[in-house]
Amino acid sequence: MVQATSRRGFLRTGIAASAAAFSLSSLGSSAFAQAATKPKFKISLAEWSLHRTIRGGKLDNLQFAETAKNEFGIEGIEYVNQFFKDKAKDAAYLAELNKRAEDNGVKQLLIMIDGEGRLGDPDDKKRTQAVENHYKWVEAAKELGCHSVRVNAGSSGEYEEQQKLASDGLRRLSEFAKPHGLNVIVENHGGLSSNGKWLAGTIEMVGLDNCGTLPDFGNFYINRGTGEKYDNYLGTKELMPYAKAVSAKAHKFDDQGNEANLDYARLMEIVLATGYDGWVGIEWEGGTPDEYEGIRLTKKLLERFQ
């Protein structure tokens, strides 16, 4: 009798062990499959992609979240302050943006700030004023649940002097943004900021972990008037170690769905080689096709590399 009981116990233990092993194996396979299918990065939409539509009165800033989700299936958005310039301190307006984003399951990621002065202005008073002009947008970004504000590092003078001036303004703004849980990120956006080495060096001079970059694939013209340009691929490589967001600029597509002027495979290889797995924002800037189709084409191109 004792033998039979032991035998039955052994069988029960064996069956339980086999079931557990099968269960773990199934879970392991499932986890592996999920890891294998998980996108390498997420795709967001920069509001500038729709600037003609917005300026033409066919779309309002309040409709941006809904449009991103319903028209393009995109769940992360990047605002441009030009499209709600007088609303940074409007609590009711910001609350409505929050509601619309929440209703559509969309994350509000950052605000791109222009027109608030040069953070690297050689005049100390003007530089200070520029820094303070950005405060309201940091506070608005906090209210919207964003992770960053995108700023410019405009300055003038010699190479090293501009680095010194821009890093001063960026440091002061980043110190203000820090307790708000916000990053201050700089786009290569003309002048020396489109020189990857210069901008990377400027971020190093700031020396704060909440001050970084937003590499834009297409904005490497130092002087459009003279045609002076920095290498897109080298610049992207230099800026990626500091990147907290990425801008996938596109102007034109060929018949195969490739960006006609930029090697996206090469650019995305540079981005992913750094271990970046955050948001890559579509920024369609071309004239043909229209903005809606340009966004769709850019999204389709990016999806090749996910």
Side-chain angles (χ1 to χ4, degrees), residues 120-137:
D121 198 295
D123 184 297
D124 185 62
K125 289 184 179 179
K126 290 182 179 179
R127 188 166 68 258
T128 297
Q129 186 62 59
V131 171
E132 294 176 354
N133 286 348
H134 283 74
Y135 288 173
K136 60 183 178 291
W137 292 110

Side-chain angles (χ1 to χ4, degrees), residues 2-19:
V2 174
Q3 261 187 329
T5 303
S6 299
R7 193 160 45 247
R8 284 197 296 271
F10 174 79
L11 289 171
R12 283 197 299 270
T13 302
I15 290 168
S18 297

Side-chain angles (χ1 to χ4, degrees), residues 42-50 64 72 74 76 78 112 246-250 253 264 279-285 291 294-300 302:
K42 294 165 283 189
I43 298 175
S44 55
L45 180 62
E47 193 172 21
W48 188 253
S49 300
L50 293 161
F64 182 38
F72 311 110
I74 293 174
E78 304 168 9
M112 297 186 177
V246 174
S247 182
K249 180 67 63 61
F253 284 91
Y264 259 62
W279 297 88
V280 176
I282 294 169
E283 192 170 55
W284 168 252
E285 218 176 36
E291 291 181 327
I295 292 168
R296 291 188 180 99
L297 287 170
T298 310
K299 182 173 184 267
K300 189 173 182 180
L302 284 173

Side-chain angles (χ1 to χ4, degrees), residues 8-47:
R8 284 197 296 271
F10 174 79
L11 289 171
R12 283 197 299 270
T13 302
I15 290 168
S18 297
F22 177 79
S23 177
L24 286 171
S25 175
S26 298
L27 286 171
S29 297
S30 175
F32 179 80
Q34 287 179 354
T37 58
K38 182 183 177 182
K40 296 175 184 176
F41 59 92
K42 294 165 283 189
I43 298 175
S44 55
L45 180 62
E47 193 172 21

Side-chain angles (χ1 to χ4, degrees), residues 71-190:
E71 288 285 343
F72 311 110
I74 293 174
E75 299 179 347
I77 56 175
E78 304 168 9
Y79 290 111
V80 174
N81 76 326
Q82 296 177 44
F83 302 134
F84 58 122
K85 189 74 173 176
D86 59 343
K87 304 295 186 182
K89 294 186 176 183
D90 188 330
Y93 186 88
L94 298 178
E96 183 62 21
L97 285 178
N98 278 332
K99 181 180 184 302
R100 299 211 184 186
E102 184 177 355
D103 287 348
N104 288 283
V106 170
K107 292 185 178 181
Q108 301 169 111
L109 303 174
L110 58 89
I111 304 175
M112 297 186 177
I113 304 169
D114 300 297
E116 295 292 0
R118 296 190 297 172
L119 291 171
D121 198 295
D123 184 297
D124 185 62
K125 289 184 179 179
K126 290 182 179 179
R127 188 166 68 258
T128 297
Q129 186 62 59
V131 171
E132 294 176 354
N133 286 348
H134 283 74
Y135 288 173
K136 60 183 178 291
W137 292 110
V138 169
E139 292 166 344
K142 170 69 172 180
E143 188 66 26
L144 297 176
C146 298
H147 63 69
S148 300
V149 290
R150 188 279 275 151
V151 303
N152 299 299
S155 188
S156 58
E158 298 301 316
Y159 186 103
E160 291 82 4
E161 182 65 11
Q162 288 197 44
Q163 276 193 322
K164 179 182 175 182
L165 293 167
S167 64
D168 175 64
L170 289 169
R171 183 183 305 107
R172 287 195 265 169
L173 181 58
S174 298
E175 288 170 347
F176 176 82
K178 184 75 169 179
H180 291 80
L182 266 291
N183 298 310
V184 173
I185 57 178
V186 187
E187 181 181 352
N188 43 304
H189 210 192

